[in-house]
Amino acid sequence: ALAVITLNNPTRANVLDLAMAQALAAAVEHVASQPGVRALLITANGKQFCAGGDIQSMQDPSRSLPQVLEELIRPIHAALAVLSELSIPVVSAINGPVGGGGIGLALCADLVLAAESMKLRGGYSALGLTPDVGGSWFVTQRAGSARAKEIFLTNRAIPATECLQLGLVDAIHPDAELATVARKLAKQLSQGPSLSQARIKTLIREARHNTLEQHLEMECNFMLASGESADAQEGIRAFTEKRAPKFL
């Protein structure tokens, strides 16, 4: 029930080159197509989560820079669009420094865990470029527009402790413990009430668009629909019997 996507090019800091972009898009599509998957964990091998885009490929003399950038961006953006619509809980484990395009991939999760060695750096404007892979969107959503401007205009490296203070990550763990803690959390979520979790994600996503009246109506409809589920019956029964629930 738990799917794991792992960036696996540690000798190159897990850069988002074309091979990585295409493999990531295929992996996300595969996860989304599996009805038995109930939670997703995104992480990386090595000491760095993702250094961002492949700058070496951007110097291809046979093609224009916009051509190279579009080739890299399109599959990753397609993957981000799918990830954003997943009804299942998504956890990310940022196992080290993250920059550029890796930022959006790290922060797109519902719950973001970071290693103590994690630090975040925008880096785009130092190259005369602009954010992609949803980085500017996720940073703004989590830390606000003023902080997002500071992050992407100054390009300073922000340590894990400050990322936690800003709300960019949800928890920090020792490097040696991060993988175990993240997997335990993701597995726990994979055993939860899937319909309830999906509706919670929808409610929170729609909150920024709804008026209070619209949102109250949505909450009411979702609660009534949830009340008809076997999961709700099991959850209430388990609570009264003082035992852990066993959701379908």
Side-chain angles (χ1 to χ4, degrees):
L2 173 60
V4 182
I5 293 178
T6 307
L7 305 183
N8 190 31
N9 192 4
T11 60
R12 296 200 63 215
N14 294 311
V15 295
L16 298 172
D17 57 17
L18 183 58
M20 181 75 84
Q22 293 174 338
L24 175 63
V28 170
E29 286 287 351
H30 178 70
V31 169
S33 71
Q34 302 301 307
V37 172
R38 295 165 62 114
L40 170 63
L41 172 62
I42 301 173
T43 188
N45 281 335
K47 296 183 178 181
Q48 190 158 345
F49 179 81
C50 179
D54 182 17
I55 296 177
Q56 290 184 12
S57 69
M58 298 178 193
Q59 302 176 68
D60 183 350
S62 66
R63 296 183 298 164
S64 70
L65 181 55
Q67 287 177 318
V68 175
L69 291 171
E70 183 170 18
E71 183 180 56
L72 291 172
I73 290 172
R74 291 297 184 189
I76 303 175
H77 279 197
L80 258 291
V82 174
L83 284 172
S84 70
E85 293 297 323
L86 286 180
S87 62
I88 60 175
V90 180
V91 177
S92 65
I94 312 175
N95 54 298
V98 58
I103 294 173
L105 186 57
L107 303 187
C108 73
D110 302 308
L111 298 171
V112 180
L113 310 185
E116 290 178 339
S117 64
M118 176 264 188
K119 56 185 177 182
L120 182 148
R121 182 175 182 271
Y124 290 100
S125 61
L127 302 173
L129 297 174
T130 50
D132 59 354
V133 196
S136 58
W137 196 89
F138 291 112
V139 169
T140 301
Q141 291 296 314
R142 281 184 161 265
S145 58
R147 189 60 66 190
K149 291 175 187 177
E150 192 263 342
I151 288 170
F152 289 111
L153 291 175
T154 70
N155 299 311
R156 70 181 179 90
I158 304 172
T161 51
E162 186 176 351
C163 286
L164 180 62
Q165 293 169 352
L166 295 174
L168 291 171
V169 304
D170 300 310
I172 301 172
H173 298 279
D175 285 42
E177 299 176 12
L178 177 66
T180 300
V181 172
R183 191 176 186 91
K184 181 179 179 180
L185 173 60
K187 185 175 181 180
Q188 174 188 333
L189 292 169
S190 75
Q191 297 169 343
S194 56
L195 291 176
S196 170
Q197 291 171 334
R199 289 173 179 138
I200 287 170
K201 289 186 61 169
T202 300
L203 282 168
I204 294 170
R205 183 173 64 246
E206 295 302 316
R208 61 179 175 268
H209 305 301
N210 289 342
T211 64
L212 176 59
E213 183 178 4
Q214 290 171 329
H215 207 71
L216 290 172
E217 183 65 19
M218 179 178 282
E219 284 187 334
C220 181
N221 292 336
F222 277 13
M223 179 65 90
L224 296 179
S226 297
E228 295 179 347
S229 69
D231 279 347
Q233 296 174 23
E234 166 61 10
I236 293 171
R237 186 164 52 245
F239 180 84
T240 58
E241 295 173 359
K242 299 182 178 180
R243 60 174 175 80
K246 297 181 179 179
F247 297 115
L248 298 177

